[in-house]
Amino acid sequence: MRAAVMYGAGDVRVEDRPDPKIQQPTDAIVRVVLSCVCGSDLWPYKSMPATDTGRPVGHEFLGVIEETGSDVGNLTAGDLVVTPFTYCDNTCGFCRKGLHSSCRRGGRYGLDGVDGGQGEAVRVPMADGTLVKLPVEETSPLLPSLLTLSDVLGTGHHGALTAGVAGGDRVLVIGDGAVGLSAVIAAKRLGAEQIILMGRHTDRTDLGRDFGATDIVAERGDEGVARVLELTGGDGADRVIEAVGALQSLETALGAVIDGGTISRLGVPQYEQGPIGFDVIMRNITLTGGVSPARAYIEDLMPDILNGTIDPGRVFDRTVGLDDVPDAYGAMAERRALKVLIRP
């Protein structure tokens, strides 16, 4: 099969790899129908040390089951399924608590002999626990939106949930990438009264308005904080969803949140220390967030996609074939694309 492999910073190649085969009785082989490039893929794309072997990339995909292991009981060949971005057994103590990202037997695509999602096919471990059947046909126009259940929509939803967004809240979303825009969808879905989107790319912030943002703040740093305070009557946002991962974004969140408010960190942090000392504790700010347990949210979010209440697939602004995946990484890294859809 053909699949994308990252060999180092700026070096993604599409090459022939062994076809996936059933290795454990709980495995399934999925023929990929749609996949995509994630914003988190861009961090190694910018910084990964060069290697001779490379590693398969991609962790968001949906597709059709071609074969199942003997212990797979809930899925059959021909089922159209979506995967969360980590695989899991859906039965361990962490999974039962809704923390599938910490599954005791789970793992990540592209590591430990498991295929990446940016290819023609994937061996999915623990298929019964991981994969969710989709009640549509392979040709459905809803497929791009259903693909967002794999990661980006669930991640935005996780940020809104951990921030405690509820009816009437004033919410600040920092970052106009696909996760930030998904957080706007999630905040509106949970009843936020005011949603401030902080971003500087008008094509993205215009989409954010369509998704439910009531205000746009293009300023950064102290100027951005001042603008948020102005929009919230001087107090700050009740809930802040930080969807970038930069230290400046955390500093902005701390400056723009109301005393007693909550900040949820969604962006993969590119820092190890931050300003969480005396001033923060004196303001009773809650700092939360983390990696999304996407599997926990798929059944909850799917009905709103199926009935048209939300259309998260609009975050995909470019579609490429498998051979053009290296160009897709470049386009996203250079901000020429928001999120790239891949049709193998």
Side-chain angles (χ1 to χ4, degrees):
M1 71 167 183
R2 301 278 286 166
V5 179
M6 186 177 294
Y7 281 86
D11 186 5
V12 175
R13 311 173 197 175
V14 178
E15 58 189 29
D16 292 321
R17 293 184 59 81
D19 291 338
K21 298 183 183 301
I22 298 292
Q23 297 181 17
Q24 300 293 331
T26 53
D27 289 346
I29 306 301
V30 175
R31 171 177 57 83
V32 177
V33 173
L34 288 181
S35 62
C36 58
V37 180
C38 181
S40 64
D41 292 329
L42 299 182
W43 294 115
Y45 182 73
K46 295 175 181 178
S47 61
M48 178 179 167
T51 67
D52 294 329
T53 56
R55 64 176 177 88
V57 286
H59 51 260
E60 301 165 88
F61 63 93
L62 58 76
V64 176
I65 293 179
E66 292 194 328
E67 184 182 0
T68 60
S70 58
D71 287 352
V72 176
N74 299 327
L75 302 163
T76 60
D79 287 346
L80 181 68
V81 293
V82 66
T83 180
F85 63 89
T86 59
Y87 53 88
C88 58
D89 61 20
N90 203 25
T91 60
C92 79
F94 286 117
C95 289
R96 290 197 301 272
K97 291 192 295 185
L99 198 61
H100 298 71
S101 52
S102 295
C103 177
R104 298 185 189 279
R105 298 172 58 212
R108 296 162 55 195
Y109 290 105
L111 300 174
D112 302 320
V114 178
D115 306 292
Q118 293 166 13
E120 293 179 323
V122 177
R123 177 180 69 87
V124 178
M126 294 176 286
D128 270 342
T130 301
L131 299 173
V132 178
K133 187 174 179 179
L134 298 173
V136 298
E137 299 297 323
E138 184 179 340
T139 56
S140 171
L142 293 176
L143 255 58
S145 284
L146 292 167
L147 176 60
T148 67
L149 294 169
S150 188
D151 185 346
V152 66
L153 180 61
T155 296
H157 181 66
H158 184 62
L161 283 183
T162 53
V165 174
D169 278 344
R170 298 168 297 182
V171 178
L172 169 63
V173 177
I174 301 175
D176 58 7
V179 170
L181 294 172
S182 297
V184 171
I185 293 174
K188 180 181 180 182
R189 185 174 176 272
L190 293 174
E193 180 176 309
Q194 182 182 27
I195 304 172
I196 304 168
L197 175 60
M198 185 171 280
R200 308 181 75 174
H201 305 84
T202 55
D203 55 337
R204 302 181 181 195
T205 56
D206 286 348
L207 182 56
R209 284 192 183 277
D210 289 348
F211 284 163
T214 57
D215 304 277
I216 304 297
V217 172
E219 297 88 348
R220 292 182 178 180
D222 292 342
E223 291 182 357
V225 170
R227 180 63 179 143
V228 172
L229 294 177
E230 178 184 351
L231 289 169
T232 55
D235 286 334
D238 302 304
R239 318 290 175 187
V240 179
I241 303 170
E242 192 280 290
V244 178
L247 181 58
Q248 183 188 57
S249 301
L250 176 61
E251 293 170 342
T252 297
L254 289 166
V257 70
I258 193 171
D259 285 17
T262 302
I263 298 168
S264 177
R265 298 163 64 219
L266 288 185
V268 178
Q270 302 305 300
Y271 55 89
E272 294 184 356
Q273 295 181 342
I276 54 172
F278 183 79
D279 290 344
V280 174
I281 201 169
M282 289 300 293
R283 295 176 58 204
N284 281 285
I285 294 169
T286 298
L287 191 61
T288 183
V291 63
S292 167
R295 179 63 183 83
Y297 303 137
I298 291 177
E299 285 95 346
D300 182 31
L301 295 170
M302 189 189 303
D304 281 2
I305 294 175
L306 296 174
N307 65 27
T309 301
I310 59 175
D311 187 10
R314 293 180 65 191
V315 299
F316 297 111
D317 59 348
R318 183 176 300 191
T319 302
V320 302
L322 192 55
D323 287 339
D324 292 323
V325 168
D327 293 335
Y329 273 81
M332 286 182 60
E334 296 164 12
R335 299 294 183 95
R336 292 183 284 111
L338 169 59
K339 191 169 179 67
V340 179
L341 190 69
I342 303 167
R343 293 186 182 271

